[in-house]
Amino acid sequence: MKKNIEQFQAQAVERTKTELIQKAREVNGVKVITAVLPMEPAAAKDLMFKLRQAVTENLLAVIGTVSHDKPMLNVAMSDDLVKEHSLNAGKMVREAAKLIQGGGGGQPHFAQAGGKNADGLSAAVDNVKDEVVLSLEFGESLSHLSCEHGDELIDERFLLSEERVSVTDGTAKDAADDVTCLGIGRKL
């Protein structure tokens, strides 16, 4: 019976991998895979490594999973993406984990975080995806940006999505709409 369950789970991971690859988006030449799924932690880790095996170059996979009401954030990148763009999944997941009231870390190419707030999982997935996409667009890691607000220079962590910019732990929290990042030359 246990062997049948394991076989079924392995088949489910394989089907999920295939579906996610088919639904992936191309962004600046990188295959971007994002999803929030109900999945056990072990199956999620297996999925991430299967994605890395299937897409060996230019891959970003950010998968949020929920099991027993516990959120988990999983980030995997191809080795070339890590090396050529100085990206680090461990650092990114550590920051995004705050959105699920958790913590985590890992290696530059694969990292995980667990938390208590499943409601923040979609935002955590978007946070990592947005950081990598912006890093690809501007050619540098954007984990920490020096930004100006009026005459005030701040160095803050940005949580970016298509519709919002928020600054955490900083004096520009109330004025995030007016923050211009140096080196990017545009309003966020």
Side-chain angles (χ1 to χ4, degrees), residues 61-75:
V62 187
I63 309 294
T65 61
V66 179
S67 176
H68 307 289
D69 296 323
K70 299 283 186 192
M72 179 164 269
L73 180 63
N74 304 273
V75 178

Side-chain angles (χ1 to χ4, degrees), residues 19-104:
E19 290 173 17
L20 290 172
I21 291 172
Q22 289 173 349
K23 293 178 181 178
R25 292 174 301 165
E26 288 278 329
V27 179
N28 294 328
V30 174
K31 193 170 287 267
V32 178
I33 298 171
T34 59
V36 175
L37 309 166
M39 187 176 280
E40 294 290 325
K45 185 174 182 179
D46 187 34
L47 173 63
M48 299 308 282
F49 280 95
K50 287 187 181 295
L51 288 169
R52 274 181 46 89
Q53 288 173 344
V55 183
T56 58
E57 293 182 342
N58 296 318
L59 169 71
L60 168 65
V62 187
I63 309 294
T65 61
V66 179
S67 176
H68 307 289
D69 296 323
K70 299 283 186 192
M72 179 164 269
L73 180 63
N74 304 273
V75 178
M77 291 185 269
S78 56
D79 291 334
D80 64 320
L81 201 59
V82 170
K83 188 174 187 175
E84 292 171 16
H85 297 281
S86 301
L87 298 172
N88 187 312
K91 290 179 183 177
M92 291 177 188
V93 92
R94 210 171 358 265
E95 287 296 322
K98 295 173 184 176
L99 295 168
I100 59 172
Q101 296 175 352

